[in-house]
Amino acid sequence: MSSSTIKSGGVRKRPTGVGAPSGWYMAPALGIFALFALVPLVVALWLSFTTWDAISSPVFVGGANWATVLADRGTWHALGLTLEVVALSWLVQTPISLLLGVFVAGTQKYRALLAAIYFLPLILSSAAIGLAFKAILDPNFGLGASVGVSWLKQNWLGSPSLILPVVVFIIAWQFVPLHTLLYQGGVRQIPASLYEAAQIDGASRVQQFFSITLPQLRYTLITSSTLMITGSLTYFDVVFVLTGGVPSSAINILPIDMYVTGFSAAQFGTASVLAIILAVIGLAISLVLTKFSGFNRMSSQQEGA
Amino acid sequence: MTTVAIVGALSGCSAGGSSAGGSTATLWALTGDQTGVVEPAVTAWNKANPKEQINAQYFANDAYKTKIRTSVGAGSAPTIIYSWAGGTLDSYVKAGKVADLTSETASIKSKYNSSVFDLGVVDGKTYAVPMDPSYPVLLYFNKSVLAKAGVSAPTTWDELLAAIPKLKSAGVLPFALAGGSKWPELMWEEYLVDRVAGPDAIKAIAAGKKNAWSDPGIIKANTMLQQLVSAGAFGSDYNSVVADSNADAALLYTGKAAMLLQGAWAYSTFQTSAADFTKSSLGYSNFPSVSGGKGDPANIVGNVSGYFSVSANASAAQKKTAIAYLTQGTFNDAYTKRLLDGGQVPPIKGVSSQISGGSDSFVGKTASLIDSAPNFQMSWDQALPSAEATALLTNLDQLFTKSITPTQFSDAMNKTIGQ
Amino acid sequence: MSTLSDARTTPATRPEPAKSRRIKGHKTRNFIGAFGGYVWLAVIILPIYYIVITSLRPQDGFYSSNQLVPPSAPTLSQYALVLQSDFFLYLANSAIVTVVSVAVTVAVSLGAAYAVVRSQTRFTKLGFSIFLVGLAVPLQATIIPLFYMMSKVGLYDSLMALILPSIGFAIPLTVLVLSNFLRDLPNELFESMRVDGASNWRILISLVTPLSRPALITVIIYDALTVWNGFLFPLVLTQSPDKRTLPLSLWTFQGQFSVNVPATLAAVVLSTLPIFALYLVGRRQLVAGITAGFGK
């Protein structure tokens, strides 16, 4: 990460020694975070070189787990699926969130009520959402079966070809609200004068959207995408609940694969290899995106400049 | 800082899992056993032994397997640990997590059928004692659904195949299958492999023989299994059905499905959820025979029994309570009678003489199935080490969805032997 | 709509109020937007409607009824069943874990954010970079080592085992949001207090904390939501029923209630109610805060 400069409103005098709070103010947060988020990664790395069944103590086996995991077709399948879920989620959620965000940012009275409803899924837990959709989609006792619409009575959660779109949809249902919020905030930051100028030029709504709204939202887009992509790497809860904890190979995404390898098959060493892979992908993606997003710039963003 | 004080207070109230006071023993069992087997026994025990209390908790089958492993590993196991013996018990013994009960259980050994008791013995020492009835896997059918479709209950594989199109045209699902839980698929695999390849095929696998999964009988059985799926025996939605919520049993008693292959424990589900159906239209039989197969058509598969071990981490007082319960609180006369009344067969000697209603009742029929079976194969996912069992369920799922061929299945499973 | 920026004292470019756009709003109706908006509304509402309706059904005849039609005889019996199944115990566990986690997270993060913004040492810059990287650490990747660590130190199956990592994972985003906010506080305020000879501790307590109220409310709601709804930590790090949190209890209710779908969904509704109340109170803050906090 590049070192960065502070600009805040005006020119800041370098704080004198008396004034600047010491680094100790940061120590507790840094300590807890390091101990429970960073140290575990180191422990995972160590465990990945051991064989451990959670009953006996870990035994060092060198790179055997790594060899096993990297040679296993299942790993690559899980990796491919994970990236598929990431890509599909992004493709589905971004346009919906963007358009909804623009729509909700308007000022008609009823939109406030709409917004309140739109954001409801934000507060439901993944476990609740998973259970509810499981009940709805049950082909024998769910909604489709009782309404008698045969198209609805599909093997939503069992068929290898259907489960992926279903999971992507449910995840979108859960997370579109958050990203709608981000875009709504972004739209509200766009100076109205830009639109007025465009109207004088006779630009249509659609033209205005593409020539003003979209370019103005570029930072929001990057922020939202970062959150979406790093988040979608780890859609564990929903998938776990939906598939009853015994996931089929059709939705065996990396975190699920890791959980099953560890907690069902008791091969915690092998599972730790998968954990490290997951962490590396997450960090890599976010570093790349940070490069673009300027998330690390310590200055306050000035939009529309 | 006040928050620091709160944190301090909190870590004070984090008690470990099994640190119950004094001589009270904790016990974990399955929700499936809760109603008929464990709960009444524990209640009776606690009433009779106020000084040696048992505190029981129940878990759903699929969740339990993970829970018990993590807690045994974390050293916070319950005093009394439920297991299916097999590969899991081996790993507990290897890690020194369960107590040697050889001398304490010597007096009750003769009570049990020896094949059942011996499953709890590892390297000549007893580490687990039976506590469950025997649960063979049976083919249940809904008589009124079969009658409507003009089909009789299948006794051979050919009859079973012939029934499928008739049932489908009658608008019912031929076989309910909880594919979402995976292990019900294994019951089909176990029976077909037994009928086609004979019991020696799985014995070779359990013994860790190289390439044991490539037995031609296993490949043939899996080919038949895929034909069955292709014929629409399970419909197209079976993977959305979950056994933990008894949705497969519900399909049978609501008349949406004609037949169901499930363990004998399903009988109590039928009794509690659909009493009328159980009385009037529930039928059951052994798995159909396969002509030309190596296995005896009288063979059965399923859970021979469930087992209780005693945690090596428990205090001396807790161990004493646990051992007293295992030797005096299980399979005493009242315990046995309760099981029989609930339609379950205890794995103890001379049980047939105690069955009222003879061989017509569910329990009588099950008992005679067990008695006349040349081989009673323990469920594979419990007989095999957990890594192999997990791989088995994963690959079986792919076999059912036809993502892999029977040969690929065998190749994948051969890799797990001796892992 | 009050946005967070109203509460701020931003000196520089404040977007003009959208008045001028409202005037044109009447001229050209955004039909496409409205249509799409209503479609998504239906997508959101249908499942929620189904959950609420179904939770009011009796178990008898559930499978044979048309589940989209409201029950002819709504019953609260499923709710009674859930409430009798130790629901309040799980609620208390969730509440303890959430309150403690959020309180500690916000307290230590505010200190960290203060240091990030007001002192420009190599250490604080490095720290801030570490938090940024930390945003991308997937929680799932740490669950196995956390399980190992918690077992080793004897915290396995305690609420502490849930609280500690919950704090750890909430810190990076909280620091980021608070730093973004503190950065916009005018320098003069700090200078004047400093001239009065106030210590940094005094400044943090009596200047920064009250001024940061909007941002604090935002992170409190967001962190509370995340911790309250957490599933994987309780799933792996606890096991006793008396340590169960609400999301995990939903998972176990499902096994317990078997095919009693109405009861399961009643549990879903009940587990959401507390956070729903918080949402009703703090929705605007949350909305404004998230949009502001994520670096505009």
Side-chain angles (χ1 to χ4, degrees):
Chain A
M1 294 251 170
S2 61
S3 71
S4 32
T5 53
I6 278 207
K7 310 194 297 253
S8 153
V11 183
R12 158 88 58 84
K13 277 186 298 212
R14 246 198 99 67
T16 48
V18 182
S22 78
W24 284 110
Y25 281 80
M26 193 186 251
L30 206 53
I32 299 177
F33 167 71
L35 189 56
F36 295 104
L38 299 182
V39 170
L41 291 181
V42 179
V43 174
L45 191 62
W46 167 68
L47 280 175
S48 74
F49 293 101
T50 69
T51 172
W52 182 47
D53 64 357
I55 293 179
S56 325
S57 296
V59 179
F60 188 78
V61 290
N65 295 330
W66 285 87
T68 312
V69 167
L70 296 177
D72 182 7
R73 269 189 326 122
T75 308
W76 299 103
H77 173 73
L79 200 58
L81 258 179
T82 310
L83 297 178
E84 205 173 341
V85 171
V86 171
L88 281 173
S89 293
W90 187 86
L91 282 172
V92 169
Q93 289 180 42
T94 299
I96 295 176
S97 311
L98 180 59
L99 293 171
L100 280 179
V102 172
F103 176 63
V104 179
T107 46
Q108 282 92 324
K109 275 269 187 298
Y110 65 91
R111 292 194 187 187
L113 174 69
L114 282 190
I117 296 169
Y118 279 146
F119 302 142
L120 267 181
L122 258 184
I123 62 166
L124 287 167
S125 67
S126 296
I129 290 172
L131 276 186
F133 275 100
K134 205 171 157 181
I136 291 169
L137 296 172
D138 187 303
N140 301 302
F141 301 116
L143 201 53
S146 85
V147 178
V149 182
S150 59
W151 181 83
L152 278 171
K153 189 184 170 316
Q154 300 256 12
N155 187 19
W156 296 114
L157 297 174
S159 147
S161 56
L162 282 177
I163 188 160
L164 191 67
V166 165
V167 165
V168 169
F169 167 78
I170 292 172
I171 289 169
W173 191 88
Q174 185 178 4
F175 289 105
V176 158
L178 177 67
H179 298 284
T180 303
L181 269 180
L182 296 181
Y183 285 113
Q184 178 195 17
V187 171
R188 290 231 167 105
Q189 302 259 342
I190 301 174
S193 51
L194 290 179
Y195 289 100
E196 281 157 19
Q199 281 213 297
I200 291 163
D201 295 345
S204 71
R205 225 177 228 294
V206 175
Q207 283 169 326
Q208 284 178 34
F209 177 80
F210 282 104
S211 61
I212 301 168
T213 314
L214 262 188
Q216 288 289 324
L217 287 177
R218 63 187 181 279
Y219 286 116
T220 314
L221 181 75
I222 291 169
T223 303
S224 156
S225 301
T226 308
L227 291 171
M228 225 180 252
I229 291 171
T230 49
S232 57
L233 273 180
T234 59
Y235 289 146
F236 172 89
D237 301 3
V238 168
V239 176
F240 182 85
V241 173
L242 272 177
T243 53
V246 261
S248 63
S249 53
I251 194 66
N252 199 15
I253 54 174
L254 212 48
I256 294 275
D257 193 24
M258 179 198 81
Y259 180 89
V260 171
T261 306
F263 293 95
S264 308
Q267 295 170 304
F268 287 93
T270 317
S272 297
V273 176
L274 296 169
I276 295 290
I277 293 175
L278 189 65
V280 167
I281 297 174
L283 290 168
I285 288 180
S286 85
L287 284 179
V288 168
L289 283 164
T290 308
K291 271 268 181 286
F292 289 111
S293 72
F295 227 24
N296 59 337
R297 266 175 307 173
M298 294 181 58
S299 57
S300 40
Q301 205 74 77
Q302 304 217 338
E303 287 292 85
Chain B
M1 279 205 102
T2 49
T3 46
V4 175
I6 299 175
V7 173
L10 258 167
S11 47
C13 70
S14 61
S18 61
S19 58
S23 62
T24 299
T26 49
L27 177 154
W28 286 4
L30 300 185
T31 41
D33 280 335
Q34 180 176 351
T35 39
V37 184
V38 181
E39 200 162 40
V42 167
T43 310
W45 175 267
N46 284 344
K47 209 177 279 172
N49 303 280
K51 286 214 171 69
E52 296 188 320
Q53 292 287 293
I54 307 257
N55 176 353
Q57 289 172 14
Y58 304 94
F59 298 86
N61 183 74
D62 294 344
Y64 177 80
K65 292 178 186 174
T66 305
K67 277 268 174 248
I68 189 69
R69 165 170 299 277
T70 49
S71 58
V72 168
S76 57
T79 320
I80 301 176
I81 303 170
Y82 176 94
S83 77
W84 297 268
T88 320
L89 184 64
D90 291 348
S91 63
Y92 293 166
V93 171
K94 216 179 287 171
K97 297 286 184 185
V98 288
D100 177 357
L101 307 172
T102 314
S103 57
E104 292 88 341
T105 56
S107 56
I108 56 161
K109 190 175 168 177
S110 57
K111 193 159 59 172
Y112 299 94
N113 297 331
S114 62
S115 62
V116 177
F117 193 84
D118 286 346
L119 283 173
V121 176
V122 180
D123 302 334
K125 297 196 182 87
T126 307
Y127 290 98
V129 290
M131 45 64 67
D132 252 346
S134 289
Y135 290 120
V137 173
L138 305 168
L139 184 65
Y140 296 93
F141 38 91
N142 186 326
K143 288 187 207 158
S144 55
V145 169
L146 287 182
K148 265 198 207 109
V151 174
S152 56
T155 58
T156 67
W157 186 251
D158 297 331
E159 286 174 17
L160 185 148
L161 289 179
I164 293 170
K166 289 184 189 156
L167 291 163
K168 274 165 69 179
S169 59
V172 291
L173 185 64
F175 293 95
L177 174 67
S181 295
K182 309 291 172 250
W183 54 262
E185 295 178 344
L186 185 60
M187 300 180 180
W188 284 92
E189 169 83 2
E190 287 161 352
Y191 261 127
L192 264 174
V193 168
D194 174 89
R195 295 289 188 269
V196 177
D200 290 346
I202 180 64
K203 289 195 166 66
I205 290 165
K209 196 169 143 255
K210 215 169 146 51
N211 294 332
W213 285 98
S214 297
D215 184 311
I218 294 183
I219 297 195
K220 184 175 177 217
N222 285 336
T223 312
M224 290 162 71
L225 201 55
Q226 289 197 322
Q227 284 165 346
L228 191 67
V229 177
S230 304
F234 308 111
S236 55
D237 303 340
Y238 62 89
N239 256 337
S240 299
V241 182
V242 183
D244 260 3
S245 56
N246 297 321
D248 52 349
L251 283 170
L252 191 73
Y253 64 70
T254 52
K256 290 176 188 251
M259 294 179 262
L260 165 71
L261 189 69
Q262 251 301 5
W265 55 82
Y267 188 75
S268 59
T269 308
F270 292 130
Q271 274 187 313
T272 48
S273 313
D276 294 350
F277 158 83
T278 311
K279 271 210 250 339
S280 59
S281 39
L282 175 70
Y284 39 87
S285 70
N286 195 344
F287 193 82
S289 61
V290 175
S291 62
K294 285 187 195 166
D296 191 313
N299 282 346
I300 47 175
V301 304
N303 293 359
V304 178
S305 181
Y307 292 80
F308 274 152
S309 300
V310 177
S311 168
N313 292 2
S315 70
Q318 286 178 315
K319 275 188 193 160
K320 191 167 155 286
T321 303
I323 289 163
Y325 175 74
L326 296 194
T327 51
Q328 299 152 39
T330 58
F331 290 114
N332 50 34
D333 292 350
Y335 194 99
T336 306
K337 183 172 182 320
R338 206 169 32 240
L339 292 191
L340 289 168
D341 292 347
Q344 315 289 10
V345 183
I348 56 177
K349 291 175 183 160
V351 86
S352 313
S353 60
Q354 300 185 39
I355 297 172
S356 54
S359 61
D360 293 343
S361 64
F362 178 82
V363 63
K365 201 157 179 176
T366 315
S368 68
L369 269 182
I370 296 172
D371 283 345
S372 59
N375 189 57
F376 188 167
Q377 173 57 49
M378 186 71 165
S379 300
W380 296 4
D381 53 343
Q382 286 142 27
L384 299 173
S386 52
E388 203 170 338
T390 307
L392 171 61
L393 293 178
T394 314
N395 282 296
L396 197 59
D397 173 47
Q398 293 178 316
L399 188 77
F400 265 76
T401 56
K402 295 202 277 289
S403 338
I404 54 173
T405 64
T407 318
Q408 286 172 319
F409 173 88
S410 294
D411 291 347
M413 286 312 300
N414 280 333
K415 284 192 193 128
T416 65
I417 288 181
Q419 246 188 11
Chain C
M1 282 302 260
S2 78
T3 59
L4 194 52
S5 39
D6 294 343
R8 298 183 184 194
T9 37
T10 33
T13 52
R14 280 247 10 235
E16 298 159 47
K19 245 188 213 140
S20 43
R21 257 194 293 165
R22 188 178 308 166
I23 295 164
K24 351 176 280 267
H26 291 300
K27 282 186 205 151
T28 48
R29 270 277 147 74
N30 182 354
F31 282 116
I32 300 169
F35 176 75
Y38 283 115
V39 168
W40 191 252
L41 188 68
V43 168
I44 296 279
I45 284 204
L46 252 177
I48 293 176
Y49 166 83
Y50 172 87
I51 294 169
V52 174
I53 286 288
T54 306
S55 68
L56 296 168
R57 278 183 207 284
Q59 164 67 1
D60 295 340
F62 166 70
Y63 291 130
S64 48
S65 58
N66 182 331
Q67 295 171 17
L68 272 186
V69 180
S72 48
T75 167
L76 288 174
S77 61
Q78 309 295 0
Y79 285 86
L81 178 66
V82 174
L83 290 177
Q84 284 155 11
S85 312
D86 281 342
F87 179 84
F88 290 106
L89 172 70
Y90 309 144
L91 181 76
N93 285 340
S94 274
I96 291 171
V97 171
T98 306
V99 170
V100 176
S101 302
V102 172
V104 177
T105 302
V106 172
V108 299
S109 301
L110 189 63
Y114 181 51
V116 165
V117 174
R118 302 300 305 174
S119 77
Q120 287 297 298
T121 60
R122 191 168 298 188
F123 175 74
T124 55
K125 283 182 191 167
L126 176 73
F128 189 69
S129 301
I130 290 176
F131 287 134
L132 280 175
V133 174
L135 278 177
V137 176
L139 183 144
Q140 282 79 1
T142 63
I143 193 67
I144 290 171
L146 277 174
F147 165 64
Y148 177 79
M149 289 156 70
M150 294 297 173
S151 307
K152 273 274 174 264
V153 297
L155 282 177
Y156 177 70
D157 198 28
S158 69
L159 293 184
M160 241 5 234
L162 305 182
I163 290 168
L164 293 170
S166 297
I167 297 170
F169 276 92
I171 283 175
L173 189 65
T174 312
V175 171
L176 185 78
V177 172
L178 292 177
S179 307
N180 268 346
F181 184 86
L182 293 187
R183 204 165 284 135
D184 288 335
L185 292 177
N187 207 14
E188 296 73 41
L189 292 173
F190 291 94
E191 293 300 337
S192 65
M193 280 198 77
R194 210 173 284 166
V195 169
D196 294 346
S199 68
N200 269 308
W201 186 243
R202 272 288 319 273
I203 296 178
L204 179 63
I205 297 294
S206 53
L207 174 80
V208 175
T209 307
L211 281 181
S212 317
R213 218 183 121 208
L216 286 174
I217 291 178
T218 299
V219 294
I220 285 172
I221 296 175
Y222 188 82
D223 290 343
L225 210 56
T226 313
V227 177
W228 181 271
N229 288 336
F231 178 75
L232 183 62
F233 285 154
L235 176 75
V236 171
L237 300 175
T238 68
Q239 71 199 14
S240 316
D242 59 330
K243 303 285 187 303
R244 209 172 277 162
T245 60
L246 277 178
L248 190 62
S249 76
L250 291 179
W251 172 242
T252 51
F253 277 145
Q254 183 193 230
Q256 198 179 322
F257 297 151
S258 165
V259 283
N260 189 347
V261 177
T264 306
L265 293 181
V268 167
V269 174
L270 281 171
S271 73
T272 310
L273 281 183
I275 215 89
F276 184 64
L278 188 68
Y279 173 74
L280 287 182
V281 174
R283 186 175 69 83
R284 289 203 163 174
Q285 281 290 357
L286 177 72
V287 170
I290 285 180
T291 46
F294 278 109
K296 311 118 249 193

